[in-house]
Every structure is written in structure tokens, then in C-alpha cells.
Amino acid sequence: MVLFEGNEEKLIDSVISVLDAGREKFTFQEIDLKSELRYKDLIIDLDRREVIKSKVKVDLTYTEFEVL
């Protein structure tokens, strides 16, 4: 077991400094999510909460849409 021997305040300041530097290097980017999913003749519009199959709107309950 290794024990820290030294200035504890200096160690804490160093750790905080490294964490602050990392914050500047790594920025979060907004992900551009598609509001419409398509597969063959199926369209799922996430914004409108609609499903269209072969150009015909499919009526789904709230739960059915969530499961889909």
C-alpha cells in the first residue's frame, strides 16, 4: 500500500487543474438526430408520431408507437 506523502493542497490543486484542462479539450457536440426513419415502404415520423406503410397512415396507440 502506497501512502501519499506531501502537500495535500498542492495535489488537489494539480488534479483540479488537469480536470479543467480536459474540459477545454473535450467539448460536447450536438447530435443531429433524424426525425424520420425509412425502411423500404415504411416511414416512421418521430416528430409527428406517425407511421406510414405503403403510403397509408397506420393508426397506433401511444404504447404501440413507443414499442415500435
Side-chain angles (χ1 to χ4, degrees):
M1 179 176 187
V2 178
L3 297 176
F4 173 73
E5 293 180 15
N7 186 336
E8 200 172 296
E9 188 173 323
K10 187 175 179 182
L11 173 66
I12 292 170
D13 287 343
S14 295
V15 170
I16 290 172
S17 176
V18 168
L19 292 174
D20 283 340
R23 232 180 257 143
E24 293 173 9
K25 291 180 183 176
F26 300 101
T27 58
F28 291 99
Q29 295 179 358
E30 186 175 324
I31 298 172
D32 183 27
L33 297 176
K34 304 280 184 205
S35 64
E36 190 175 277
L37 305 172
R38 291 176 177 259
Y39 179 74
K40 297 184 181 181
D41 64 342
L42 178 69
I43 302 170
I44 303 171
D45 189 326
L46 300 173
D47 289 338
R48 293 183 183 158
R49 298 183 62 86
E50 289 182 344
V51 176
I52 300 170
K53 172 100 167 99
S54 302
K55 298 183 182 181
V56 176
K57 184 179 174 187
V58 178
D59 291 323
L60 297 176
T61 66
Y62 179 87
T63 304
E64 289 170 336
F65 187 86
E66 289 298 306
V67 169
L68 177 64

